[in-house]
Amino acid sequence: MKKWLSILAILVTFLTFANIYYGNLHSHTSYSDGKLYPEDAYNYAKNYVDVLAVTDHAYYFEQLINGKTKTYLTKLAAEKATVEGEFIALQGFEWTSGIGHINVYESLQWVDRNKVSSMEGFYKWIVEHKKLGQFNHPISVFGTFNDFEYYPQADLYMNLIEVGNGNWSAGDVINDEMLKNYRVALNKGWHLGATVGQDNHKPNWGSANEGRTGIIAQYLSYDDIMSALWSRHTFGTEDKDVKVSFSYGNYIMGDIVKEPVEKATLHFEYKDYDNIDYFALISQSGTVVEAYPRSDSYSTDITVEIPDGYEWYYCYIKQNDSDEIVTSPIWFQKESSIYVNNVKYNNNAILFDIYNVTSENVEAELKVVDNERVVSTEQVSFKPYGIKSLSVNLGKLSSGDHLIKFLVNDVFIQSQKIFVKSYKKTVMIDILHENDHMDELKEFGQFLSENGYRVLYSKRMLTNLKDVDILIISTPKVDGFDFSKDLLAPEIKALSEFNGEIILIPGSDETYFDLYKQKINGKVIELEALYEMFGYTTKKSVNKIIIDIGHMNDYGTAKLTKLEDFVKSLGLEISYASKLEVIDGDVLIIQNGKGYTEKELESIVNFVKKGGKLIITSKSDYRNGGNTKELNYILEKIGLDTRFNDDQVIDEVNNYGARYKILVNGVRFYSPCSLIVGEDARILLESETAKNEDSDGNGDAVKVDKVVLAVEEQSGLGKVIILGKSIFSDYDFDYNKEFISNIILN
């Protein structure tokens, strides 16, 4: 009886989902570089999938078969293979170039790279023929479509994108780069449904692995399947029969909501025989919600406030067997003929794309607002489906948060948040005139950078001093070339007109020191006096070490016995703190903590600024282990640029027993995250062989060219050592002892 009740419960749950059919929308036969014929592909695939599209490479199509085109013959085979209610066969072709590959569906006409090689040319073709298109395997190896440059009219037809692609049996076909480019395309303005294609070149159509495109349709008919694909009612999956639903009222994944909405409740459902381990709702603005259901069924309602007139949301799911599922987005767009996307901030300017989504000529008023300050108002005009890349100078922004709003005819259509780091003053250090004390001054410059000053170095001549507040010139050293030591006439003129403060540091060439004093009206001080002026002091000795154990940290006293014994053997004091409201030591160690109060954060910042040393660690995102967001907030509060990456570091070469047990210069890191290195950080440990991956599948890991696991940054009079994982546990201590000694004592 219980067994039948369990089966009934599963059936009732399944009934809450719309009809989901599973397809493979990317495959090949001998009509290009695959095997056998379309008839064979369809006949084989009907045993594995509900829908198969044969999309052979178009550059093979010049050759006719018995006087008939390959598209025509494939279409005939598809029509014969289709049995509505059982199997739908689709026909298409793949356009390939170095810029990218695109599938076009249900078209007897075709185009290849020999006829049209540019993206603009292809988009003109698909607009003219009004066919459905899909961006294929968007990774750098195959091309990313000129970084998904946006064409508003082509957006009507390019409605699908592969978030996964591959023919290997393991089925791990959804990868970080495709997911990243999925978001890039959405942020550029494209409206795309998520798919997974097997890209078969072997006779294994549909059976290569469990990679599928889930298609939500009323019925398994040709018209309903094509309608669903045109409407982006799809999801990409590495599980062949998972059921997911993502909706807002009567809208489902792939739909565009154009009714006025300020707050929306998004509904998500999941059902499968494998547990869902991780769920994330992701938007243009970032990750909205994360959850760890660890159940074979999951349902949630998430209420979101729509931030402006253009926003999208999609769901990312990871199962306990590491299979991934990605839904198509739901878009919320205010009714408008003009939209703004691809917004970036650079050097006091906001850059963006603005475009017309209608077939009419359009004029409108564009207003750019910084917080409540109107920065720019201008009339913009567009031809049908016209697009422009514009920039607006915001001027020198005050420090803190800025919300840049774009209003089209007073409709709030898009926004961008900007955080501006404040600078006390801009300091320029001269490096062009055989200057003495260069090594010391560059270290001093790093100290200034880490303590709220903007530091510049002269590049060609001492003439561009417009934004400089303090100019430091160390006069020439004894050796070197005399012609490099001389101040040129334009430099002397610029220095005489300079309104800021000039500091002259005496160099070893006394003759040139006297010449500089004659030609420059500056304040002469020794190097030590300069350091004292800015609070730059010599290294502080270490007496007491404090270890944070009150914030769900990785290791407590029971697993830090070797560290404690070592510290005491050096004659130093060690203590453990549950709260950090008062920090009465020289070194503070935080191992992946969370839950810090504002008072504690203020205490940590003051501790560092006044000369303390902070050693702070995170860990990998495996099962969301690292407290990345909160730890990065601490680094931000201190004023550092380095950030913990939300990733996992792996190394197949240099490890101590498993690929997540990383060895770098003999130092052991057990399942670390990588570091996104700030401009002013000094790298302590980096790996030539390690790589990083998005272990939690959230899509927020930043791909790094080289894995860095330890850096040092100055802040105020203090120093911060940032590690991708705690290296202090009894398990690792003996191997890491030398490095630990260096970072604590030096």
Side-chain angles (χ1 to χ4, degrees), residues 93 101-105 122 126 130-136 154-161 191-193 195 226 229-230 232:
F93 69 88
H101 298 190
I102 290 176
N103 274 357
V104 177
Y105 298 100
F122 175 82
I126 202 168
K130 295 179 171 54
K131 297 299 180 181
L132 174 65
Q134 170 180 278
F135 292 112
N136 290 343
D155 187 31
L156 300 173
Y157 305 98
M158 294 302 304
N159 281 10
L160 302 170
I161 184 172
H191 295 80
L192 302 168
T195 69
M226 285 304 297
L229 295 179
W230 274 104
R232 302 166 295 272

Side-chain angles (χ1 to χ4, degrees), residues 143-170:
T144 55
F145 316 96
N146 291 334
D147 198 27
F148 287 97
E149 183 178 359
Y150 186 61
Y151 284 75
Q153 193 169 13
D155 187 31
L156 300 173
Y157 305 98
M158 294 302 304
N159 281 10
L160 302 170
I161 184 172
E162 287 183 330
V163 296
N165 173 287
N167 198 236
W168 41 89
S169 59

Side-chain angles (χ1 to χ4, degrees), residues 441-460:
L441 284 172
K442 285 182 179 177
E443 286 188 15
F444 175 64
Q446 181 176 340
F447 163 80
L448 292 178
S449 294
E450 293 161 351
N451 288 277
Y453 291 89
R454 180 180 177 222
V455 179
L456 307 175
Y457 295 91
S458 52
K459 294 183 178 178
R460 294 185 180 177

Side-chain angles (χ1 to χ4, degrees), residues 82 149 153 200 241 349 373 485 490 523 580 640 686 707:
T82 293
E149 183 178 359
Q153 193 169 13
N200 312 84
D241 52 13
R373 174 178 66 99
K485 301 179 182 181
K523 179 180 180 181
L580 298 178
L640 306 183
E686 62 182 347
V707 167

Side-chain angles (χ1 to χ4, degrees), residues 103-130:
N103 274 357
V104 177
Y105 298 100
E106 295 302 293
S107 175
L108 294 178
Q109 290 77 37
W110 56 273
V111 65
D112 68 2
R113 64 194 181 201
N114 297 317
K115 296 177 181 178
V116 172
S117 59
S118 69
M119 286 310 312
E120 184 176 8
F122 175 82
Y123 291 145
K124 286 180 178 177
W125 186 93
I126 202 168
V127 166
E128 178 185 346
H129 291 81
K130 295 179 171 54

Side-chain angles (χ1 to χ4, degrees), residues 18 20 82 108 116 169 172 280 356 360 407 421 443 520 573 581-582 590 711 722 731:
I20 300 174
T82 293
L108 294 178
V116 172
S169 59
D172 182 16
N356 175 15
E360 307 292 330
L407 286 77
K421 184 177 179 179
E443 286 188 15
I520 301 173
E573 185 182 349
E581 293 176 355
V582 177
I590 294 177
V711 304
I722 306 169
Y731 178 67

